[in-house]
């Protein structure tokens, strides 16, 4: 007989019976919710498991983070070139196989947040992946900074090497003159100019060419008719 159909009992026992029923229902509900809470906690723990990427990589590529078999997919998590670029992978390397494990995980985390674990439908299931992807390791940021530092250092070294390799301006070599010009480097009262002759110089200075030649034979040489511009003559 149902409780609602039982009209022979007094009100007080009915109320007591109903209160007992409610208590039993509440306890039963709590008992049902407890496993769900444990399940939720278990799900969060799995999502925070950073090893999930290694398990997926083991399934996708045998755990080889730098694999490139030529099938159009690269790295441990088998990114296509288009997906790698679309989610910022170009900041690390041209294709995933050329990037480090932490860089690939950083990009994979972005893909998972956008597409879910369905981006790796078979291997994510085998790896027991659930919930959201674990946060990317801070080592990825350090790696990027290190890469930039190495690049800056390399550029600085290249610039220094370029500067060292630049030839210095060669010293100007004085033009070599004739033997007579070499002899005419001694100090004198007159510097021979182009077109000069001993006769002209003598007339200009009120003397004779013979006197000038006699005083400067060591400079002029054996031919008094051959004087060279730049020679210094004693008058």
């Amino acid at each position: 007989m149902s409780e609602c159909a039982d009209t022979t009992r007094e009100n007080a026992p009915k109320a007591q019976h109903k209160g007992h029923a409610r208590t039993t229902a509440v306890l039963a509900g709590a008992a049902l919710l407890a496993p769900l809470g444990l399940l939720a906690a278990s799900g969060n723990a799995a999502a925070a498991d950073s090893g999930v990427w290694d398990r997926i990589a083991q399934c996708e590529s045998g755990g080889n983070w730098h694999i490139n078999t030529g099938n159009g997919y690269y790295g441990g998590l088998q990114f296509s070139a288009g997906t790698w670029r679309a989610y910022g992978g170009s900041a690390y390397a041209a294709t995933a196989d050329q990037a480090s494990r932490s860089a690939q995980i950083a990009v994979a985390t972005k893909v998972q947040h956008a597409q879910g674990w369905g981006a790796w439908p078979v291997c994510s299931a085998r790896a027991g992946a659930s919930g959201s992807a674990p946060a990317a390791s801070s080592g990825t940021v350090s790696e990027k900074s290190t890469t930039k530092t190495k690049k800056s250092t390399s550029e600085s070294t290249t610039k220094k090497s370029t500067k060292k390799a630049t030839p210095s301006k060669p010293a100007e070599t004085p033009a070599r003159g004739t033997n007579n010009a070499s002899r005419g480097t001694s100090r004198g009262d007159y510097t021979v100019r182009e077109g000069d002759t001993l006769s002209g110089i003598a007339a200009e200075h009120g003397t004779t060419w013979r006197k000038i030649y006699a005083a400067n034979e060591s400079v002029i040489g054996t031919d008094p008719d051959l004087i060279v511009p730049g020679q210094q003559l004693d008058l």
Side-chain angles (χ1 to χ4, degrees), residues 132-158:
S132 61
S137 171
S138 60
T140 302
V141 177
S142 300
E143 179 185 343
K144 286 182 68 179
S145 301
T146 303
T147 302
K148 289 182 178 179
T149 303
K150 288 181 179 178
K151 185 177 180 182
S152 300
T153 304
S154 176
E155 289 177 352
S156 176
T157 304
T158 302

Side-chain angles (χ1 to χ4, degrees), residues 79-92 103-116 119-120:
F79 290 97
S80 68
T83 300
W84 179 254
R85 289 193 298 269
Y87 288 89
S90 299
Y92 303 100
Q104 293 180 53
I105 289 176
V107 176
T109 301
K110 295 180 181 178
V111 174
Q112 195 279 332
H113 288 167
Q115 301 181 18
W120 301 270

Side-chain angles (χ1 to χ4, degrees), residues 9-233:
R9 297 185 183 182
E10 296 181 0
N11 290 336
K14 285 183 180 180
Q16 183 178 5
H17 184 72
K18 288 180 180 179
H20 178 71
R22 289 195 189 100
T23 302
T24 302
V26 170
L27 292 175
L32 290 173
L33 291 174
L36 295 177
L38 292 174
L39 181 61
S42 175
N44 289 336
D49 177 16
S50 60
V52 68
W53 292 120
D54 288 312
R55 294 193 297 274
I56 292 175
Q58 185 65 38
C59 172
E60 291 282 353
S61 62
N64 186 347
W65 290 92
H66 302 288
I67 192 171
N68 176 9
T69 61
N71 64 351
Y73 295 90
Y74 307 88
L77 301 171
Q78 292 292 277
F79 290 97
S80 68
T83 300
W84 179 254
R85 289 193 298 269
Y87 288 89
S90 299
Y92 303 100
T95 53
D97 61 300
Q98 300 175 44
S100 67
R101 169 185 173 276
S102 57
Q104 293 180 53
I105 289 176
V107 176
T109 301
K110 295 180 181 178
V111 174
Q112 195 279 332
H113 288 167
Q115 301 181 18
W117 292 112
W120 301 270
V122 176
C123 290
S124 63
R126 291 180 180 176
S130 62
S132 61
S137 171
S138 60
T140 302
V141 177
S142 300
E143 179 185 343
K144 286 182 68 179
S145 301
T146 303
T147 302
K148 289 182 178 179
T149 303
K150 288 181 179 178
K151 185 177 180 182
S152 300
T153 304
S154 176
E155 289 177 352
S156 176
T157 304
T158 302
K159 287 180 180 178
K160 288 182 180 179
S161 299
T162 303
K163 287 183 179 180
K164 289 181 180 179
T166 303
S168 58
K169 186 178 179 181
E172 295 182 359
T173 303
R176 296 179 61 187
T178 62
N179 290 337
N180 288 337
S182 298
R183 290 199 301 270
T185 56
S186 61
R187 291 193 302 171
D189 299 319
Y190 183 82
T191 302
V192 176
R193 299 187 297 268
E194 188 176 355
D196 277 347
T197 63
L198 287 184
S199 298
I201 297 171
E204 183 180 346
H205 291 84
T207 184
T208 65
W209 70 267
R210 292 180 185 277
K211 287 183 179 180
I212 296 176
Y213 177 67
N216 299 280
E217 184 175 358
S218 61
V219 176
I220 297 172
T222 59
D223 188 352
D225 292 327
L226 181 60
I227 58 176
V228 179
Q231 288 178 326
Q232 301 290 324
L233 303 179

